[in-house]
């Protein structure tokens, strides 16, 4: 009996140690799709995120979600974590907080998604952009929002939100597409994905004066220091790539349409050896679909679509490449000083939003484009 008790105590102790250890980040590797914890042993809460490198430190910004369905609205703001090795993430707190102020653009309960941060060396400011939907208006506002900070982890100060490039035509539009034919579709409902109304309507002409819709988005800084925003526009039917002003806080008015009526979401642009690459998804809301990839020799195109770059299967979701491992892209970034690019995906969990998971995988470049191949566990070289 005594031996049994001792065994029980030892077992219990080992289980507690084991559990505590597994709750603290893995420390030495990346385990896509597993439960990820920060250096305090808490669930990493940075969804739809992006990683920025600054002076030897990586900063991971993302949607800080609460548990349950309510977490699909912004109840807290944008979270930030920091790391020097990309394995161990320290909670830096809330970088941009939503406000209790009624009627404010980023009032608690708005939808604030896919925050991304870039550094502007001229102004020495960190500039955050995100997709913003005003409180109580579903996904109809379709705006981008901008906030700035003096320090990478914040606090960020909200500047403004808006639709994009009002009163300016893109560089690559035809005269036919400039005709506002929206009256013909006055009763039409948009599904947010590929539908007949959005396919036939010149949404860009409808929105010319008020500004173009800006939903899923990302930022990209080119080698010459110019920054761009890529976003799903025109009822999600068409991507826009838009150059930002020198201070990175506004659209410059110089932009192009990419893949008209191809319904791309979750775009991420990256560059290797002078070539531009795009990773994106189709439009199926929180449900996964097949990832997409594209390549171009110039940021403004022409862009050539290459197909689904995913390969392999996620054992946690049981989903393979055809559903992007159960994930949706959110960012691709370079590991400083190396030839490794990391593609980040979210495994959304809308019914319990906080507990969505993360899939980070290395990008494998090929002669034509690239692949993102599943690994259960991997290390940086
Ligand atoms: C996805 C989008 C997410 C979120 C979601 C809402 O397609 O990528 O960021 O907006 O729809 O249903």
């Amino acid at each position: 009996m005594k031996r049994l008790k001792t065994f029980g105590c030892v077992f219990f102790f080992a289980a507690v140690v084991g559990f505590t250890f597994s709750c603290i980040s893995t420390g030495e590797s990346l385990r896509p799709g597993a439960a990820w914890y920060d250096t305090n042993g808490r669930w990493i809460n940075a969804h739809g995120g992006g990683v920025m490198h600054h002076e030897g430190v990586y900063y991971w910004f993302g949607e800080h979600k609460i548990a349950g369905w309510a977490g699909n609205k912004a109840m807290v703001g944008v979270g930030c974590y920091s790391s020097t090795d990309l394995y161990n993430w320290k909670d830096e707190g809330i970088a941009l907080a939503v406000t209790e102020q009624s009627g404010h653009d980023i009032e608690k309960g708005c939808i604030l998604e896919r925050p991304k941060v870039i550094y502007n060396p001229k102004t020495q400011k960190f500039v955050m952009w995100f997709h913003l939907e005003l409180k109580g208006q579903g996904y109809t506002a379709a705006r981008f929002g901008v906030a700035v900070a003096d320090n990478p982890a914040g606090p960020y100060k909200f500047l403004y939100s808006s639709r994009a490039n009002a009163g300016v035509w893109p560089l690559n539009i035809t005269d036919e597409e400039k005709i506002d034919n929206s009256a013909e579709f006055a009763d039409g409902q948009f599904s947010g994905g590929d539908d007949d109304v959005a396919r036939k309507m010149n949404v860009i002409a409808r929105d010319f004066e008020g500004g173009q819709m800006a939903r899923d988005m990302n930022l990209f800084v080119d080698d010459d220091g110019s920054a761009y925003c890529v976003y799903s526009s025109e009822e999600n039917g068409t991507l826009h790539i838009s150059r930002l002003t020198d201070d990175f806080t506004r659209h410059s008015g110089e932009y192009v349409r990419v893949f008209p009526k191809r319904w791309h979401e979750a775009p991420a642009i990256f560059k290797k050896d002078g070539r531009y690459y795009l990773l994106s998804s189709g439009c199926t809301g929180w449900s996964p679909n097949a990832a997409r990839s594209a390549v171009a020799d110039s940021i403004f195109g022409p862009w050539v679509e290459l197909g689904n770059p995913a390969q392999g299967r996620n054992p946690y979701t049981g989903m393979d490449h055809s559903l992007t491992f159960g994930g949706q892209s959110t960012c691709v970034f370079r590991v400083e000083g190396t030839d490794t690019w990391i593609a980040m995906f979210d495994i959304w969990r809308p019914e319990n939003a906080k507990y969505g998971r993360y899939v980070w995988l290395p990008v494998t470049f090929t002669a034509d484009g690239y692949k993102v191949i599943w690994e259960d566990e991997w290390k940086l070289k």
Side-chain angles (χ1 to χ4, degrees):
M1 189 64 190
K2 188 158 175 246
R3 278 211 7 225
L4 210 66
K5 257 193 180 162
T6 316
F7 177 76
C9 282
V10 170
F11 182 78
F12 178 73
F13 181 71
V16 169
V17 170
F19 179 73
T20 311
F21 186 71
S22 70
C23 277
I24 294 177
S25 53
T26 59
E28 288 171 16
S29 65
L30 286 163
R31 293 188 297 152
W36 287 15
Y37 299 91
D38 67 15
T39 52
N40 292 319
R42 294 198 200 101
W43 189 266
I44 295 186
N45 196 344
H47 310 270
V51 167
M52 171 193 68
H53 179 268
H54 187 73
E55 294 180 348
V57 182
Y58 295 92
Y59 296 88
W60 175 2
F61 298 89
E63 304 157 27
H64 180 104
K65 292 177 181 274
I66 63 167
W69 281 104
N72 299 308
K73 304 247 165 71
M75 307 308 282
V76 180
V78 176
C80 177
Y81 293 81
S82 67
S83 174
T84 50
D85 60 11
L86 295 169
Y87 303 136
N88 298 283
W89 291 93
K90 177 175 170 252
D91 187 358
E92 296 281 352
I94 298 303
L96 173 68
V98 295
T99 157
E100 298 280 347
Q101 203 184 313
S102 172
H104 193 285
D105 286 9
I106 59 163
E107 181 183 354
K108 184 175 173 183
C110 67
I111 294 173
L112 195 167
E113 295 179 334
R114 300 184 174 274
K116 303 289 178 299
V117 174
I118 51 179
Y119 176 64
N120 187 308
K122 288 183 199 128
T123 60
Q124 300 190 358
K125 298 272 185 208
F126 296 88
V127 187
M128 178 188 289
W129 285 57
F130 48 88
H131 167 201
L132 180 71
E133 298 292 349
L134 302 174
K135 185 176 178 180
Q137 299 186 19
Y139 277 85
T140 56
R143 295 186 183 193
F144 66 93
V146 184
V148 292
D150 294 322
N151 295 300
Y156 284 77
K157 187 174 167 283
F158 175 76
L159 288 186
Y160 73 103
S161 79
S162 169
R163 287 245 175 133
N165 290 312
V168 192
W169 292 115
L171 299 172
N172 59 347
I173 192 162
T174 62
D175 283 344
E176 213 178 306
E177 286 160 338
K178 288 184 184 172
I179 298 167
D180 180 359
N181 60 355
S182 57
E184 290 172 38
F185 306 95
D187 300 329
Q189 295 289 318
F190 297 103
S191 65
D194 186 350
D195 66 49
D196 211 40
V197 181
R199 210 173 311 127
K200 292 181 183 152
M201 188 193 287
N202 286 335
V203 180
I204 191 159
R206 180 199 68 184
D207 292 344
F208 179 72
E209 269 173 40
Q212 299 301 326
M213 299 174 87
R215 291 204 183 112
D216 279 13
M217 54 75 57
N218 221 313
L219 299 175
F220 168 74
V221 182
D222 210 340
D223 301 333
D224 66 0
S226 340
Y228 297 83
C229 184
V230 54
Y231 52 95
S232 301
S233 194
E234 305 179 35
E235 301 289 351
N236 294 341
T238 302
L239 286 177
H240 289 184
I241 299 178
S242 174
R243 200 169 63 74
L244 304 185
T245 51
D246 285 351
D247 67 0
F248 298 174
T249 66
R250 296 189 174 268
H251 285 280
S252 70
E254 199 185 339
Y255 72 110
V256 290
R257 300 170 82 216
V258 179
F259 301 125
K261 315 280 177 177
R262 255 300 271 154
W263 280 270
H264 282 258
E265 274 194 332
I269 290 177
F270 53 108
K271 187 180 187 184
K272 181 181 193 288
D273 298 335
R275 299 194 91 188
Y276 299 83
Y277 297 91
L278 172 75
L279 172 64
S280 60
S281 73
C283 286
T284 52
W286 299 121
S287 309
N289 55 56
R292 299 171 176 190
S293 66
V295 64
D297 291 324
S298 150
I299 182 82
F300 279 163
W303 283 87
V304 177
E305 203 167 332
L306 298 172
N308 183 352
Q311 267 182 26
R313 180 177 166 276
N314 176 353
Y316 297 97
T317 58
M319 293 179 195
D320 68 6
H321 67 280
S322 62
L323 291 176
T324 317
F325 324 118
Q328 189 182 26
S329 44
T330 184
C331 174
V332 182
F333 69 95
R334 187 180 192 169
V335 181
E336 278 302 300
T338 75
D339 249 352
T340 300
W341 274 256
I342 296 180
M344 298 167 58
F345 302 83
D346 291 283
I347 307 283
W348 300 117
R349 203 174 164 197
E351 73 288 359
N352 199 3
K354 173 180 172 182
Y355 294 100
R357 294 190 179 197
Y358 312 103
V359 167
W360 291 18
L361 290 164
V363 174
T364 305
F365 291 92
T366 61
D368 304 331
Y370 67 92
K371 299 280 171 216
V372 179
I373 304 168
W374 181 267
E375 311 244 14
D376 288 341
E377 181 170 8
W378 65 286
K379 293 181 180 210
L380 299 164
K381 284 195 199 93

